[in-house]
Amino acid sequence: MARRDTSGGGLPVAVVEDGRRRRARANISTMSSALLLELYFIYDADGTVAGEVAYYLKKWLLGGKCAACDISHVPQGEKPEFALWKANFPVSVLNLHRDELDC
């Protein structure tokens, strides 16, 4: 299971063969010697109904941002193009909320 990574605010995290995590936006050359095993999208919200409501209030009233949410979702749910990309990506792509991480 994923471990909490507090340094990214919802950015995708790549897990490489040696177990180290690297931000997906890192220079691709820094990951060239490692085998990518999984890609995690960590949402800056809790996965409960209350967490979803709190996220939307924070987003719409206070201008809060979640990069993973912006990439993968629209108000109606997961973007079809993201679902297609995820299905065709060569390794597992996992979507997790803050409260679903092992601390």
Side-chain angles (χ1 to χ4, degrees), residues 6 11 13 20 22 27 34 46 49 58-59 61-62 64 69-70 79 83 91 93:
T6 59
L11 290 174
V13 175
R20 291 178 292 164
R22 305 219 176 128
N27 185 331
D46 290 339
V49 172
K58 184 172 109 177
K59 179 178 179 168
L61 297 178
L62 303 174
C69 300
D70 293 341
K79 292 178 181 178
V91 299
V93 177

Side-chain angles (χ1 to χ4, degrees), residues 12-14 24 36 38-41 43 68 71-72 78-95:
V13 175
L36 182 66
E38 296 174 318
L39 181 65
Y40 288 87
F41 276 75
Y43 296 110
I71 292 168
S72 64
E78 191 170 72
K79 292 178 181 178
E81 61 270 23
F82 179 74
L84 181 64
W85 173 83
K86 201 166 83 166
N88 291 306
F89 199 69
V91 299
S92 296
V93 177
L94 305 164
N95 299 359

Side-chain angles (χ1 to χ4, degrees), residues 12-81:
V13 175
V15 177
V16 294
E17 186 175 32
D18 62 6
R20 291 178 292 164
R21 294 172 197 271
R22 305 219 176 128
R23 294 264 166 246
R25 69 178 172 180
N27 185 331
I28 194 68
S29 65
T30 63
M31 295 177 62
S32 62
S33 64
L35 175 65
L36 182 66
L37 300 177
E38 296 174 318
L39 181 65
Y40 288 87
F41 276 75
I42 311 297
Y43 296 110
D44 191 18
D46 290 339
T48 62
V49 172
E52 295 290 324
V53 170
Y55 166 74
Y56 279 107
L57 289 174
K58 184 172 109 177
K59 179 178 179 168
W60 297 112
L61 297 178
L62 303 174
K65 292 283 185 184
C66 169
C69 300
D70 293 341
I71 292 168
S72 64
H73 281 75
V74 293
Q76 298 80 15
E78 191 170 72
K79 292 178 181 178
E81 61 270 23

